[in-house]
Amino acid sequence: MAGNWKMYKTPADTHAFFEAFKPLVADAKNVDIVLCPPFADLHAAITETANSGIAVGAQNLYWGKEGAVTGEVSGHMLQAIGCQYVIIAHSERRQYFGESEPDVVRKIEAALEYGLTPIVCVGERLEEREEGRTEEVLATMFDGGLAPLAAEQFAKVVIAYEPVWAIGTGKTATPEIAEAAHRFIRGKVAEKFGADAAAAVRILYGGSVKPDNVTKLMSEEDIDGALVGGASLDPKSFAAIVNF
Ligand code: PGA
């Protein structure tokens, strides 16, 4: 269960979140919990989660270890500060910052080089769904962003299916719609990396996941977890999702 705070919260807010959140998930079992705050809050989050079993991730990274790349943060730096995960190619990065499939591959490789687990986002926009192009879009993202990886690299990747029309809109994909997309993605994994890789890969659903819809979504066979935006900002609601 991963939370994506996007561009919300200060370090003080981050401390307050974890003070409230940690006791609520202290008994959570058989679930990996990840919070992905903005860069400015990573230190606070990592301090707060020490020895708690809760992992911290970043929301983006730059490929390369260091260099004259003003405004960017490398996987090397994220590893050094204690991050364990990094979100790659969120639809907001694709849409507002023009991230393309070749960038996705470079970022995944950079994450893996520095021991970070990439959470790689794929998903169609509303017009693409309405035009019946969902599978085509997912296939293009898979072929361009994930298929070029070596099998050992792919084995360390988490995929997040996030239909863009469901993000921040309160319009969750129905469990059936989400399951169909997850099944399609798992099929692509099987074709490229084999049945074992397809069975092992974790595919998270993201898009308006809330405490009251998480149970149904998670009951679908191919949905292994969630990438939660808005509902991860509140310790009670994210804890309810983790503990569903
Ligand atoms: P949401 O965001 O839960 O607010 O819809 C999900 C995401 O963008 O990762």
Side-chain angles (χ1 to χ4, degrees), residues 139-172:
T140 302
M141 289 179 172
F142 181 86
D143 293 343
L146 291 161
L149 299 173
E152 317 81 78
Q153 291 177 313
F154 181 80
K156 296 181 185 142
V157 168
V158 175
I159 299 174
Y161 168 63
E162 298 207 310
V164 180
W165 47 271
I167 294 177
T169 58
K171 263 172 112 183
T172 327

Side-chain angles (χ1 to χ4, degrees), residues 9 12 19 28 32 35 39 43 53 72 74 77 99 101 111 155 159 169 189 209 213 232:
K9 294 193 191 291
E19 302 277 286
D32 291 329
L35 263 305
F39 289 128
H43 178 72
E72 292 295 316
S74 71
M77 293 164 182
E99 287 190 12
E101 260 44 76
I159 299 174
T169 58
V189 175
V209 175
N213 60 27
S232 74

Side-chain angles (χ1 to χ4, degrees), residues 119-205:
I119 302 175
V120 182
C121 303
V122 297
E124 79 288 359
R125 299 195 198 197
L126 182 60
E127 63 272 21
E128 293 166 336
R129 172 160 288 272
E130 285 172 345
E131 288 161 8
R133 295 175 50 222
T134 298
E135 293 192 351
E136 181 198 320
V137 169
L138 294 176
T140 302
M141 289 179 172
F142 181 86
D143 293 343
L146 291 161
L149 299 173
E152 317 81 78
Q153 291 177 313
F154 181 80
K156 296 181 185 142
V157 168
V158 175
I159 299 174
Y161 168 63
E162 298 207 310
V164 180
W165 47 271
I167 294 177
T169 58
K171 263 172 112 183
T172 327
T174 62
E176 295 73 27
I177 287 177
E179 169 61 18
H182 282 233
R183 197 178 323 120
F184 177 77
I185 294 164
R186 209 178 290 281
K188 293 290 295 177
V189 175
E191 264 170 39
K192 171 69 196 175
F193 295 105
D196 289 350
V201 67
R202 289 196 234 193
I203 309 178
L204 314 182
Y205 168 78

Side-chain angles (χ1 to χ4, degrees), residues 4 6 90 92 162 166-168 207-209 227-230:
N4 170 15
K6 309 195 176 184
H90 189 278
E92 288 149 19
E162 298 207 310
I167 294 177
S208 298
V209 175
L227 180 54
V228 184

Side-chain angles (χ1 to χ4, degrees), residues 9 16-17 20-22 24-25 210-211 231-243:
K9 294 193 191 291
F17 174 92
F21 180 69
K22 281 186 290 187
L24 299 175
V25 297
K210 309 283 176 216
S232 74
L233 294 169
D234 175 65
K236 282 206 195 92
S237 72
F238 192 51
I241 290 170
V242 167
N243 291 324

